[in-house]
Amino acid sequence: MARLFGKGDEKQVDMRTTDDPRAADELDTGVIDEAHDDLHREMKPRQLSLILGTGGALRNGGPASLLLAYLLMGYVVYVVMVALGEMGAWLPHKKAFSGYASRFVDPAMGFATGWNYFFKYVIVLPNNLTASGIILQFWRPDINVSVWIVVFGVAIVALNLIHVSFFGEAEFWMSLVKALVIAMLILICFIVALGGGPNHHRTGFWYWKDPGAFAPYLLPEQPSLAKFLGFWASVVQATFAYLGTELVGVAFGETPNPRKNVPRAVNQTLLRIVLFYLGGVIVLGMAVPYNDPDLKVAASSKASGAASPFVIAAKNAGIARLADAVNGLLLVFTVSAANSDIYLASRSVWALAKDRQAPQLFHRTNKRGVPIPAVVLSSIFIVLGFMNATKGSDTVFGYFVSLVTVFGALNWVSVLVSYICMQRGMKAQGIKRSTLPYRNFLLPWSAYIALPITILVILFNGFAAFIPTFKVDKFITAYIGIPVYLLNIFWWKIFKKTKMVKPEEMDLQTNRRDE
């Protein structure tokens, strides 16, 4: 049995009965019943990116670029959230983002969005295993990251084949611990910046002046362009960090009394964005200069969790042994996240197979309810982590960041396009916005701003592949997600002969909720 927690209650799904369509409805999502699955909403990759990934962004862009990038992409993900809120509270269903795309845009777009989720999880999997190896190099720099990928890869595959019943509850408590750790690190950086560390060195916003608010990146001989490139590198990293935040919005369709509960959930998410993300990057810019030598260590193959800017801030202030403690916690986080990635990826492809959008082989389960073929397929992607054998671990980590950023941002595009199409359908059918049980003041106009920003991030996510010379490896990892997404759309249109949904023919009545 898989324990799934949502809305404060417990829901159990037994996939051993999946041949029975009535039982299959329990997980009838097209991707996964994210409305009931808190595992989707814990967003491990973004938490890890805030702790580990901000070091590279601070080094490349400087404190001002980092803050502006997080502000910009925080606005975009918030718009995605409220768009989901308006759609889900009014026309709830269990098929998440792919369902909205199928209903309001084209079933082919829904198919591509469903597979996008699978790809995102299987790419995050080697990313988290790579991060685990990087962290362990803090204590054992003599052992290649690939060795740790094998060790932890075997362990988490075995766990997923056993299908432990306490999986959901354990992840819930682990996520609570993660939030507390992040809050602690932010508080430590703030105290350090105000001179509360053992060295009593008060930096305040001094590092915004020396070495400066904006760091040059890639083209130091052209300062203005280099600083812009530094800002854009920070935007790409911020996008990766925010990926997964929008999953909270999937639960809006299952929320009782959406007029009251959806605004509350949106406000809580906005508060987390402000406190954790914006608060985190502000205190980092105060406590660590972008030219700190330890930040540059992250660019080498010997990078470790000690290169986290939070740890660097504490070390610079004279706080001893924090690196060991934080690294130990981060290791638990990364292994836990990788374990969840296999679980979520396998259930994603299982649900796709159930909807006949994947080979039926992946719909099979054993008598314990474990989708063995789906777990095996998802586990195969662990081998991508072995690129560490020939490339530096930080380089490989960057590859995965690029891949996940594109797949995740394409899902934002699906949400925003679906919302805009829904608005056109409402206008064509004479339905006023005042009938929606939840409305946000930023919509609908903000959707038309957030969409082109997201598309720009997707198109220019791989700009570093062209500067100063063309690099094939970075180009492929930065852009392969786009043709995969488009080919999935065209393949399903040709195979199923789907058509775009016309505004006047759009189904705006099924499951409609006006209160």
Side-chain angles (χ1 to χ4, degrees), residues 92-170:
H93 64 77
K94 293 183 178 181
K95 290 186 179 291
F97 307 152
S98 60
Y100 293 127
S102 295
R103 185 169 182 173
F104 302 140
V105 187
D106 191 313
M109 189 177 198
F111 170 79
T113 302
W115 274 101
N116 241 31
Y117 261 90
F118 170 75
F119 291 134
K120 189 180 80 167
Y121 288 125
V122 294
I123 297 301
V124 168
L125 169 60
N127 183 54
N128 282 320
L129 289 175
T130 297
S132 300
I134 290 174
I135 291 168
L136 279 164
Q137 284 194 326
F138 174 71
W139 295 291
R140 293 299 304 270
D142 56 314
I143 299 179
N144 190 278
V145 171
S146 299
V147 175
W148 299 117
I149 290 176
V150 172
V151 172
F152 292 118
V154 170
I156 62 176
V157 170
L159 283 174
N160 275 272
L161 291 175
I162 294 172
H163 195 52
V164 290
S165 60
F166 58 84
F167 185 89
E169 189 167 4

Coordinates of all heavy atoms in Angstrom, one line a residue, residues 92-170:
P92 N -12.4 21.6 -11.1 CA -11.4 20.6 -10.5 C -11.4 19.3 -11.2 O -12.5 18.9 -11.8 CB -12.0 20.5 -9.1 CG -13.4 20.8 -9.2 CD -13.5 21.8 -10.2
H93 N -10.3 18.7 -11.3 CA -10.1 17.3 -11.8 C -8.9 16.7 -11.3 O -8.1 17.4 -10.6 CB -10.2 17.3 -13.3 CG -9.0 18.0 -14.0 ND1 -7.8 17.4 -14.0 CD2 -8.9 19.2 -14.5 CE1 -6.9 18.3 -14.6 NE2 -7.6 19.4 -14.9
K94 N -8.6 15.4 -11.5 CA -7.5 14.7 -10.9 C -6.3 14.6 -11.9 O -5.3 13.9 -11.5 CB -7.9 13.4 -10.5 CG -8.9 13.4 -9.3 CD -9.2 12.0 -8.8 CE -10.1 12.0 -7.6 NZ -10.4 10.6 -7.2
K95 N -6.3 15.2 -13.1 CA -5.3 14.9 -14.0 C -4.2 16.0 -14.0 O -3.4 16.1 -14.9 CB -5.9 14.8 -15.4 CG -6.7 13.5 -15.6 CD -7.1 13.3 -17.0 CE -7.9 12.0 -17.2 NZ -7.0 10.8 -17.0
A96 N -4.3 16.9 -13.0 CA -3.2 17.9 -12.9 C -3.0 18.7 -14.1 O -3.9 19.0 -14.9 CB -1.9 17.2 -12.4
F97 N -1.7 19.1 -14.4 CA -1.4 20.0 -15.5 C -1.7 19.4 -16.8 O -2.2 20.1 -17.7 CB 0.1 20.4 -15.4 CG 0.6 20.9 -14.1 CD1 1.9 20.7 -13.7 CD2 -0.3 21.5 -13.2 CE1 2.3 21.2 -12.5 CE2 0.1 22.0 -12.0 CZ 1.5 21.8 -11.6
S98 N -1.5 18.1 -17.0 CA -1.8 17.5 -18.3 C -3.3 17.5 -18.6 O -3.7 17.7 -19.7 CB -1.3 16.0 -18.3 OG -1.9 15.3 -17.3
G99 N -4.1 17.4 -17.5 CA -5.6 17.5 -17.7 C -6.0 18.8 -18.2 O -6.9 18.9 -19.1
Y100 N -5.5 19.9 -17.6 CA -5.8 21.2 -18.1 C -5.4 21.5 -19.5 O -6.2 22.1 -20.3 CB -5.2 22.3 -17.2 CG -5.7 22.3 -15.7 CD1 -4.8 22.2 -14.7 CD2 -7.1 22.4 -15.5 CE1 -5.3 22.2 -13.4 CE2 -7.5 22.4 -14.2 CZ -6.6 22.2 -13.1 OH -7.1 22.2 -11.8
A101 N -4.2 21.0 -19.9 CA -3.8 21.2 -21.2 C -4.6 20.4 -22.2 O -5.0 20.9 -23.3 CB -2.3 20.7 -21.4
S102 N -5.1 19.2 -21.9 CA -5.9 18.4 -22.7 C -7.3 19.1 -22.9 O -7.9 19.1 -24.0 CB -6.1 17.0 -22.2 OG -4.9 16.3 -22.2
R103 N -7.8 19.6 -21.8 CA -9.2 20.2 -21.8 C -9.3 21.5 -22.4 O -10.3 21.8 -23.1 CB -9.7 20.3 -20.3 CG -11.1 20.7 -20.2 CD -11.6 20.5 -18.7 NE -12.9 20.8 -18.6 CZ -13.6 20.6 -17.4 NH1 -13.0 20.1 -16.4 NH2 -14.9 21.0 -17.3
F104 N -8.3 22.4 -22.3 CA -8.4 23.7 -22.7 C -7.6 24.0 -24.0 O -7.8 25.0 -24.7 CB -7.9 24.7 -21.6 CG -8.7 24.6 -20.4 CD1 -8.1 24.7 -19.1 CD2 -10.1 24.4 -20.4 CE1 -8.8 24.6 -18.0 CE2 -10.9 24.3 -19.3 CZ -10.2 24.4 -18.0
V105 N -6.6 23.2 -24.3 CA -5.7 23.5 -25.4 C -5.7 22.4 -26.5 O -6.3 22.7 -27.6 CB -4.2 23.7 -25.0 CG1 -3.3 24.2 -26.1 CG2 -4.1 24.6 -23.8
D106 N -5.2 21.2 -26.2 CA -5.2 20.2 -27.2 C -4.7 18.9 -26.4 O -3.8 18.9 -25.6 CB -4.1 20.5 -28.3 CG -4.2 19.5 -29.4 OD1 -4.2 18.3 -29.2 OD2 -4.2 20.0 -30.6
P107 N -5.4 17.8 -26.6 CA -5.0 16.5 -25.9 C -3.5 16.2 -26.2 O -2.9 15.5 -25.4 CB -5.9 15.5 -26.5 CG -7.2 16.2 -26.9 CD -6.7 17.6 -27.4
A108 N -3.0 16.6 -27.3 CA -1.6 16.3 -27.6 C -0.7 17.1 -26.7 O 0.4 16.6 -26.3 CB -1.3 16.7 -29.1
M109 N -1.1 18.3 -26.3 CA -0.3 19.0 -25.3 C -0.4 18.4 -23.9 O 0.6 18.4 -23.2 CB -0.8 20.5 -25.2 CG 0.1 21.4 -24.4 SD -0.4 23.1 -24.5 CE 1.1 23.9 -23.9
G110 N -1.6 17.8 -23.6 CA -1.7 17.1 -22.4 C -0.8 15.9 -22.3 O -0.2 15.6 -21.3
F111 N -0.7 15.2 -23.4 CA 0.2 14.0 -23.5 C 1.6 14.4 -23.3 O 2.3 13.8 -22.5 CB 0.0 13.3 -24.9 CG 1.0 12.3 -25.2 CD1 0.9 11.0 -24.7 CD2 2.1 12.6 -26.0 CE1 1.8 10.0 -25.0 CE2 3.0 11.6 -26.3 CZ 2.9 10.3 -25.8
A112 N 2.1 15.5 -24.0 CA 3.4 15.9 -23.8 C 3.7 16.4 -22.4 O 4.8 16.2 -21.9 CB 3.7 17.0 -24.8
T113 N 2.8 17.1 -21.8 CA 3.0 17.6 -20.4 C 3.1 16.4 -19.4 O 3.9 16.4 -18.5 CB 1.8 18.5 -20.0 OG1 1.7 19.6 -20.9 CG2 2.0 19.0 -18.6
G114 N 2.3 15.3 -19.6 CA 2.4 14.2 -18.8 C 3.7 13.5 -18.8 O 4.3 13.2 -17.8
W115 N 4.3 13.4 -20.0 CA 5.6 12.8 -20.2 C 6.7 13.7 -19.7 O 7.7 13.3 -19.2 CB 5.9 12.4 -21.6 CG 5.3 11.0 -22.0 CD1 4.2 10.7 -22.6 CD2 6.0 9.8 -21.6 NE1 4.0 9.3 -22.7 CE2 5.1 8.8 -22.1 CE3 7.1 9.5 -20.9 CZ2 5.4 7.4 -21.9 CZ3 7.4 8.1 -20.8 CH2 6.6 7.1 -21.2
N116 N 6.4 15.0 -19.8 CA 7.4 16.0 -19.2 C 7.6 15.7 -17.7 O 8.8 15.9 -17.3 CB 6.9 17.4 -19.4 CG 7.8 18.2 -20.3 OD1 8.5 17.6 -21.2 ND2 7.9 19.5 -20.1
Y117 N 6.6 15.4 -17.0 CA 6.7 15.2 -15.6 C 7.6 13.9 -15.3 O 8.4 13.9 -14.4 CB 5.4 15.0 -14.9 CG 5.0 16.3 -14.3 CD1 4.3 17.3 -15.0 CD2 5.5 16.6 -13.0 CE1 4.0 18.5 -14.4 CE2 5.2 17.8 -12.4 CZ 4.5 18.8 -13.1 OH 4.2 20.0 -12.5
F118 N 7.4 12.9 -16.1 CA 8.3 11.7 -16.0 C 9.7 12.1 -16.2 O 10.6 11.7 -15.5 CB 7.8 10.6 -17.0 CG 8.8 9.5 -17.1 CD1 8.9 8.5 -16.0 CD2 9.6 9.4 -18.2 CE1 9.8 7.5 -16.1 CE2 10.5 8.3 -18.3 CZ 10.6 7.4 -17.2
F119 N 10.0 12.8 -17.3 CA 11.3 13.2 -17.7 C 12.0 14.1 -16.6 O 13.2 13.9 -16.3 CB 11.4 13.9 -19.0 CG 11.1 13.1 -20.2 CD1 10.2 13.5 -21.2 CD2 11.6 11.8 -20.3 CE1 9.9 12.7 -22.3 CE2 11.3 11.0 -21.4 CZ 10.5 11.4 -22.4
K120 N 11.2 15.0 -16.0 CA 11.7 15.8 -15.0 C 12.2 15.0 -13.8 O 13.3 15.3 -13.2 CB 10.7 16.9 -14.5 CG 11.2 17.9 -13.6 CD 10.2 18.9 -13.1 CE 9.4 18.4 -12.0 NZ 8.5 19.4 -11.4
Y121 N 11.4 14.1 -13.4 CA 11.8 13.3 -12.2 C 13.0 12.4 -12.5 O 13.9 12.2 -11.6 CB 10.6 12.4 -11.7 CG 9.5 13.2 -11.1 CD1 8.2 13.1 -11.5 CD2 9.8 14.1 -10.0 CE1 7.2 13.9 -10.9 CE2 8.8 14.8 -9.4 CZ 7.5 14.7 -9.9 OH 6.5 15.4 -9.3
V122 N 13.1 11.8 -13.7 CA 14.2 10.9 -13.9 C 15.5 11.6 -14.2 O 16.6 11.0 -14.0 CB 13.9 9.9 -15.1 CG1 12.8 9.0 -14.8 CG2 13.6 10.7 -16.4
I123 N 15.4 12.9 -14.5 CA 16.6 13.7 -14.6 C 17.0 14.3 -13.3 O 18.2 14.4 -12.9 CB 16.4 14.9 -15.6 CG1 16.1 14.3 -17.0 CG2 17.6 15.8 -15.6 CD1 17.2 13.4 -17.6
V124 N 16.1 14.6 -12.4 CA 16.4 15.0 -11.0 C 17.0 13.9 -10.3 O 17.9 14.1 -9.4 CB 15.1 15.5 -10.3 CG1 15.4 15.7 -8.8 CG2 14.7 16.9 -10.9
L125 N 16.7 12.6 -10.6 CA 17.3 11.5 -9.9 C 18.8 11.4 -9.9 O 19.4 11.4 -8.9 CB 16.6 10.2 -10.5 CG 17.3 8.9 -10.1 CD1 17.2 8.7 -8.6 CD2 16.6 7.7 -10.8
P126 N 19.4 11.4 -11.1 CA 20.9 11.4 -11.1 C 21.5 12.7 -10.6 O 22.6 12.8 -10.1 CB 21.3 11.2 -12.6 CG 20.1 11.6 -13.4 CD 18.9 11.2 -12.5
N127 N 20.7 13.8 -10.7 CA 21.1 15.1 -10.2 C 21.3 15.0 -8.6 O 22.3 15.4 -8.1 CB 20.1 16.2 -10.5 CG 20.5 17.5 -10.0 OD1 21.5 18.0 -10.3 ND2 19.6 18.2 -9.3
N128 N 20.3 14.4 -8.0 CA 20.4 14.2 -6.5 C 21.4 13.2 -6.1 O 22.1 13.4 -5.1 CB 19.0 13.8 -6.0 CG 18.0 15.0 -5.9 OD1 18.4 16.1 -5.5 ND2 16.8 14.7 -6.2
L129 N 21.6 12.2 -6.9 CA 22.7 11.2 -6.6 C 24.1 11.9 -6.8 O 25.0 11.6 -6.0 CB 22.6 10.0 -7.4 CG 21.4 9.1 -7.1 CD1 21.3 7.9 -8.1 CD2 21.5 8.5 -5.7
T130 N 24.2 12.7 -7.8 CA 25.4 13.5 -8.0 C 25.7 14.4 -6.8 O 26.8 14.5 -6.3 CB 25.4 14.3 -9.3 OG1 25.2 13.4 -10.4 CG2 26.6 15.1 -9.5
A131 N 24.7 15.1 -6.4 CA 24.8 16.0 -5.2 C 25.2 15.2 -4.0 O 26.1 15.7 -3.2 CB 23.5 16.7 -4.9
S132 N 24.7 14.0 -3.8 CA 25.1 13.1 -2.7 C 26.6 12.8 -2.7 O 27.3 12.9 -1.7 CB 24.4 11.8 -2.7 OG 23.0 12.0 -2.6
G133 N 27.1 12.5 -3.9 CA 28.6 12.3 -4.1 C 29.4 13.5 -3.8 O 30.5 13.4 -3.2
I134 N 28.9 14.6 -4.3 CA 29.6 15.9 -4.1 C 29.7 16.2 -2.6 O 30.8 16.6 -2.1 CB 28.9 17.0 -4.8 CG1 29.0 16.9 -6.3 CG2 29.4 18.4 -4.3 CD1 28.2 17.9 -7.1
I135 N 28.7 15.9 -1.8 CA 28.7 16.2 -0.4 C 29.7 15.3 0.3 O 30.4 15.7 1.2 CB 27.2 16.0 0.2 CG1 26.3 17.1 -0.3 CG2 27.3 15.9 1.7 CD1 24.9 16.9 -0.1
L136 N 29.7 14.0 -0.1 CA 30.6 13.0 0.6 C 32.1 13.3 0.3 O 32.9 12.9 1.0 CB 30.2 11.6 0.1 CG 29.0 11.0 0.9 CD1 28.5 9.8 0.2 CD2 29.4 10.6 2.3
Q137 N 32.3 14.0 -0.8 CA 33.7 14.4 -1.1 C 34.3 15.4 -0.1 O 35.5 15.6 -0.1 CB 33.8 14.9 -2.5 CG 33.8 13.8 -3.6 CD 34.2 14.3 -5.0 OE1 34.0 15.5 -5.3 NE2 34.9 13.5 -5.7
F138 N 33.4 15.9 0.7 CA 33.9 16.8 1.8 C 34.7 16.0 2.7 O 35.7 16.5 3.3 CB 32.7 17.4 2.5 CG 33.0 18.2 3.7 CD1 33.7 19.4 3.6 CD2 32.7 17.8 5.0 CE1 34.0 20.2 4.7 CE2 33.1 18.5 6.1 CZ 33.7 19.7 6.0
W139 N 34.3 14.8 3.0 CA 35.1 13.9 3.9 C 36.0 13.0 3.2 O 37.1 12.6 3.7 CB 34.1 13.0 4.7 CG 33.3 13.8 5.7 CD1 33.7 14.5 6.8 CD2 31.9 14.0 5.6 NE1 32.6 15.1 7.4 CE2 31.5 14.9 6.7 CE3 30.9 13.6 4.7 CZ2 30.1 15.3 6.9 CZ3 29.5 14.0 4.9 CH2 29.2 14.8 6.0
R140 N 35.6 12.5 2.0 CA 36.5 11.6 1.2 C 36.7 12.1 -0.2 O 36.1 11.6 -1.2 CB 35.8 10.2 1.2 CG 35.7 9.5 2.5 CD 37.1 9.3 3.1 NE 38.0 8.5 2.2 CZ 38.1 7.2 2.1 NH1 37.4 6.5 3.0 NH2 38.9 6.6 1.3
P141 N 37.5 13.1 -0.4 CA 37.8 13.7 -1.7 C 38.5 12.7 -2.6 O 38.6 12.9 -3.8 CB 38.7 14.9 -1.4 CG 39.3 14.6 -0.1 CD 38.3 13.8 0.7
D142 N 39.0 11.6 -2.1 CA 39.8 10.7 -2.9 C 38.9 9.7 -3.6 O 39.3 8.9 -4.5 CB 40.8 9.9 -2.0 CG 40.0 9.2 -0.8 OD1 39.2 9.8 -0.2 OD2 40.3 8.0 -0.6
I143 N 37.6 9.7 -3.2 CA 36.6 8.7 -3.9 C 35.8 9.4 -4.9 O 35.2 10.5 -4.6 CB 35.7 8.1 -2.8 CG1 36.5 7.3 -1.8 CG2 34.7 7.1 -3.4 CD1 35.7 6.7 -0.7
N144 N 35.8 8.9 -6.1 CA 35.0 9.5 -7.2 C 33.5 9.5 -6.9 O 33.0 8.6 -6.3 CB 35.3 8.8 -8.5 CG 34.8 9.5 -9.7 OD1 33.6 9.4 -10.0 ND2 35.6 10.2 -10.4
V145 N 32.8 10.5 -7.4 CA 31.4 10.7 -7.2 C 30.6 9.5 -7.7 O 29.6 9.0 -7.2 CB 30.9 12.0 -7.8 CG1 29.4 12.0 -7.8 CG2 31.4 13.2 -7.1
S146 N 31.1 8.9 -8.8 CA 30.5 7.7 -9.4 C 30.3 6.5 -8.5 O 29.4 5.8 -8.5 CB 31.2 7.3 -10.7 OG 31.3 8.3 -11.6
V147 N 31.3 6.4 -7.6 CA 31.2 5.3 -6.6 C 30.0 5.4 -5.7 O 29.3 4.5 -5.4 CB 32.5 5.2 -5.8 CG1 32.4 4.2 -4.7 CG2 33.7 4.9 -6.6
W148 N 29.8 6.7 -5.2 CA 28.7 6.9 -4.3 C 27.3 6.8 -5.1 O 26.3 6.4 -4.5 CB 28.8 8.3 -3.7 CG 30.0 8.5 -2.9 CD1 31.1 9.3 -3.1 CD2 30.4 7.7 -1.7 NE1 32.0 9.2 -2.2 CE2 31.6 8.2 -1.3 CE3 29.7 6.7 -1.0 CZ2 32.2 7.7 -0.2 CZ3 30.3 6.2 0.1 CH2 31.6 6.7 0.5
I149 N 27.3 7.1 -6.4 CA 26.1 6.9 -7.2 C 25.7 5.5 -7.2 O 24.5 5.1 -7.2 CB 26.3 7.5 -8.6 CG1 26.4 9.0 -8.6 CG2 25.2 7.1 -9.6 CD1 26.7 9.7 -9.9
V150 N 26.7 4.6 -7.4 CA 26.5 3.1 -7.4 C 25.9 2.7 -6.0 O 24.9 2.0 -6.0 CB 27.7 2.3 -7.7 CG1 27.5 0.8 -7.5 CG2 28.2 2.6 -9.2
V151 N 26.6 3.1 -5.0 CA 26.2 2.7 -3.6 C 24.7 3.1 -3.3 O 23.9 2.3 -2.9 CB 27.1 3.3 -2.6 CG1 26.6 3.0 -1.1 CG2 28.5 2.7 -2.8
F152 N 24.5 4.4 -3.5 CA 23.1 4.9 -3.1 C 22.1 4.5 -4.2 O 20.9 4.3 -3.8 CB 23.2 6.4 -2.9 CG 24.0 6.9 -1.7 CD1 25.1 7.7 -1.9 CD2 23.6 6.5 -0.5 CE1 25.8 8.0 -0.8 CE2 24.3 6.8 0.7 CZ 25.4 7.6 0.5
G153 N 22.5 4.4 -5.4 CA 21.6 4.0 -6.5 C 21.1 2.6 -6.2 O 19.8 2.4 -6.3
V154 N 21.9 1.7 -5.8 CA 21.5 0.3 -5.5 C 20.5 0.3 -4.3 O 19.5 -0.4 -4.3 CB 22.7 -0.6 -5.2 CG1 22.2 -2.0 -4.7 CG2 23.5 -0.8 -6.5
A155 N 20.9 1.1 -3.3 CA 20.1 1.1 -2.1 C 18.6 1.7 -2.4 O 17.7 1.1 -1.9 CB 20.8 2.0 -1.0
I156 N 18.5 2.7 -3.1 CA 17.2 3.3 -3.3 C 16.4 2.5 -4.3 O 15.1 2.4 -4.2 CB 17.3 4.8 -3.8 CG1 18.0 4.9 -5.1 CG2 18.0 5.6 -2.7 CD1 18.0 6.3 -5.7
V157 N 17.0 1.8 -5.3 CA 16.3 0.9 -6.1 C 15.7 -0.2 -5.3 O 14.5 -0.6 -5.5 CB 17.2 0.4 -7.3 CG1 16.4 -0.7 -8.0 CG2 17.5 1.5 -8.2
A158 N 16.5 -0.8 -4.4 CA 16.0 -1.8 -3.6 C 14.9 -1.4 -2.7 O 13.9 -2.1 -2.5 CB 17.2 -2.4 -2.7
L159 N 14.9 -0.2 -2.1 CA 13.9 0.3 -1.3 C 12.6 0.5 -2.1 O 11.5 0.2 -1.6 CB 14.2 1.7 -0.7 CG 15.2 1.6 0.5 CD1 15.6 3.1 0.9 CD2 14.5 0.9 1.7
N160 N 12.7 0.9 -3.4 CA 11.5 1.1 -4.2 C 10.9 -0.2 -4.6 O 9.7 -0.3 -4.9 CB 11.8 2.0 -5.4 CG 11.7 3.5 -5.1 OD1 10.6 4.1 -5.2 ND2 12.8 4.1 -4.6
L161 N 11.7 -1.2 -4.8 CA 11.2 -2.6 -5.1 C 10.5 -3.2 -3.9 O 9.6 -4.0 -4.1 CB 12.3 -3.5 -5.6 CG 12.9 -3.0 -7.0 CD1 14.1 -3.9 -7.3 CD2 11.9 -3.1 -8.1
I162 N 11.0 -2.9 -2.7 CA 10.4 -3.4 -1.5 C 9.1 -2.7 -1.2 O 8.1 -3.3 -0.8 CB 11.3 -3.2 -0.3 CG1 12.5 -4.1 -0.5 CG2 10.6 -3.6 1.0 CD1 13.6 -3.9 0.6
H163 N 9.0 -1.4 -1.6 CA 7.8 -0.6 -1.5 C 7.4 -0.4 0.0 O 6.4 -0.9 0.4 CB 6.7 -1.2 -2.3 CG 5.5 -0.3 -2.5 ND1 5.7 0.9 -3.1 CD2 4.2 -0.5 -2.3 CE1 4.5 1.5 -3.2 NE2 3.6 0.7 -2.7
V164 N 8.2 0.2 0.7 CA 8.0 0.4 2.2 C 6.7 1.2 2.4 O 6.4 2.2 1.7 CB 9.2 1.2 2.8 CG1 10.4 0.2 2.9 CG2 9.5 2.4 2.1
S165 N 5.9 0.8 3.4 CA 4.6 1.4 3.7 C 4.7 2.7 4.3 O 3.8 3.5 4.3 CB 3.8 0.4 4.5 OG 4.4 0.2 5.7
F166 N 5.8 3.0 5.0 CA 5.9 4.3 5.8 C 6.5 5.4 4.9 O 6.9 6.5 5.5 CB 6.8 4.1 7.0 CG 8.2 3.6 6.7 CD1 9.2 4.5 6.4 CD2 8.5 2.2 6.9 CE1 10.5 4.0 6.1 CE2 9.8 1.8 6.6 CZ 10.8 2.6 6.2
F167 N 6.7 5.2 3.6 CA 7.3 6.1 2.7 C 6.8 7.5 2.9 O 7.5 8.5 3.1 CB 7.2 5.6 1.3 CG 7.9 6.4 0.3 CD1 9.2 6.1 0.0 CD2 7.3 7.5 -0.3 CE1 9.9 6.9 -1.0 CE2 8.0 8.3 -1.3 CZ 9.3 8.0 -1.6
G168 N 5.5 7.7 2.7 CA 4.9 9.0 2.8 C 5.1 9.7 4.1 O 5.4 10.9 4.1
E169 N 4.9 9.0 5.2 CA 5.0 9.7 6.5 C 6.4 10.1 6.8 O 6.7 11.1 7.3 CB 4.5 8.7 7.6 CG 4.4 9.4 8.9 CD 3.6 8.5 9.9 OE1 3.2 7.4 9.5 OE2 3.3 9.0 11.0
A170 N 7.4 9.2 6.4 CA 8.8 9.5 6.6 C 9.2 10.7 5.8 O 9.9 11.6 6.4 CB 9.7 8.3 6.2

